[in-house]
Amino acid sequence: MKVQTDPAGAATGLVPGKAKTKLEIRQVWAHNLPSAFADIRLLAEKFPYVSMDTEFPGVIHHPSKHHALLTPAERYAALKSNVDALHLIQVGLSFAATPDSPPSIAFEINLQEFDPRAHRHAPESVALLAAHGLDFDAHRKHGVQARDFAAFLMSSGLVCAGNAVTWVTFHSAYDFGYLVKLLIGRKLPRTLPEFLGLVRVFFGEGVYDIRHVMTRCGGLYGGLDRVAASLGVERAAGRSHQAGSDSALTWDAFRRIREVYFPNQSVRGFAGVLFGLELDLETDLAAAAPSAASEKVIKFGTIGNNEKVIKFGSIGANVPVGTEKIKFGTIGAAAPTGNNSTKNKLGTSSGNYYAKFIVHNSSNGGNKAAAANNNNNNNGRNRCAAVAGGNGNRRNSRKVAPHPQVAVAALR
């Protein structure tokens, strides 16, 4: 897709700052997945404000205590048990050019795996989705395989992009739970700090959950439709309980909240917090540090030339220099070479261990994240790292604009 930059482009809605009269929601199925993500990769560079919504088959595991009495860790345990057991149905992504512009285009990715005849689900939730237009038979026949979606998402420029992309969501703990599950290709991590660390790694620090922002907005309560109605925000296109339409409504509600409740204030203080899972990652990890040096914990921070790492070792000054790490960041010439295995693995360089985030393949070598971009070569592709340099070695990184902090800073 060629992003229009001339006045004629106003009709497409793909010109920064230009609004179209009718929002386009593109349906994404297996047959047009590659072309849709080719467009998304271009959009990610010029439309770095992304709102996201998912649809899933409800909740089947319920805590014994009332939800309001649960701690963040207990809420996460309930989330994990449900996400691990269920299948994602739809993902909606809407793109906006600036913090104050309406969404220019939305995508609705329809996934294949869920079959209400065979898989566990909450019957009332599935009935609600069907009543709002979801065709589960079409999903089974024409939907996108989850592993293919994960592979294309990893190469889209939307994840592992640092602060170049701003994410806006509504009550999104489960949304991110399902996306993290797909991206890591396995069940969610055991603890809440580990999960929040992965959300930070994949989606950056510029994540806004409207439900969390609403805790400082008197008079706002309820679900997305109720909040939008209270704000006088109309749905731009589509129907409720469809991920593409709800993602666009989420962005418009967020814009209106900023206009009404924070006209002269920054909202950056709300970034990085998912409603119901309010946990200070750095503080709680430090507090959880074991007394015995042999205990293994995970710490998110920096070492060396400001590389993002997860340290496996005791937290504190006594973490040995040679401790095993998963590095997230620019690894440049130090990247391990010569091992083109297509499974998740650790390679070594100068005694350090580097983790490559690659979707687990089938035995025929297909469906790897690298396949989402035929311009890449086979050398170290699709690591969760922003690697400088060209020559086709994008390694799951998009070409970042000269000022990658703009997406967060522009939210005042």
Side-chain angles (χ1 to χ4, degrees), residues 82-126:
N82 283 286
V83 171
D84 286 348
L86 301 176
H87 297 275
L88 190 58
I89 299 173
Q90 245 185 12
V91 178
L93 300 171
S94 293
F95 293 82
T98 71
D100 301 311
S101 61
S104 297
I105 190 169
F107 292 80
E108 194 165 81
I109 297 98
N110 301 287
L111 299 173
Q112 179 189 70
E113 273 70 20
F114 176 66
D115 184 347
R117 303 170 303 178
H119 298 133
R120 299 182 68 186
H121 60 274
E124 65 279 7
S125 296
V126 169

Side-chain angles (χ1 to χ4, degrees), residues 3 94 99 114 138 179 184 196 234 239 266 298 336 354 387 412:
V3 176
S94 293
F114 176 66
L179 291 184
I184 64 177
L196 293 178
E234 297 183 356
R239 301 173 63 181
S266 171
I298 297 177
Y354 294 85
V387 182
R412 296 194 299 271

Side-chain angles (χ1 to χ4, degrees), residues 12 15 45 52 64 95 97 124 147 151 177 198 210-211 214-215 221 226 243 258-259 299 306 321 356 364 381 398:
T12 69
V15 179
E45 298 189 18
M52 180 269 291
S64 57
F95 293 82
E124 65 279 7
R147 63 182 180 182
L198 288 173
I210 290 178
R211 193 66 184 81
M214 284 165 53
T215 60
Y221 65 95
R226 179 185 288 272
R258 289 177 53 241
E259 292 173 0
K299 179 179 181 181
N306 295 321
V321 173
K356 295 182 180 181
N364 64 8
R381 287 180 293 194
R398 68 179 175 83

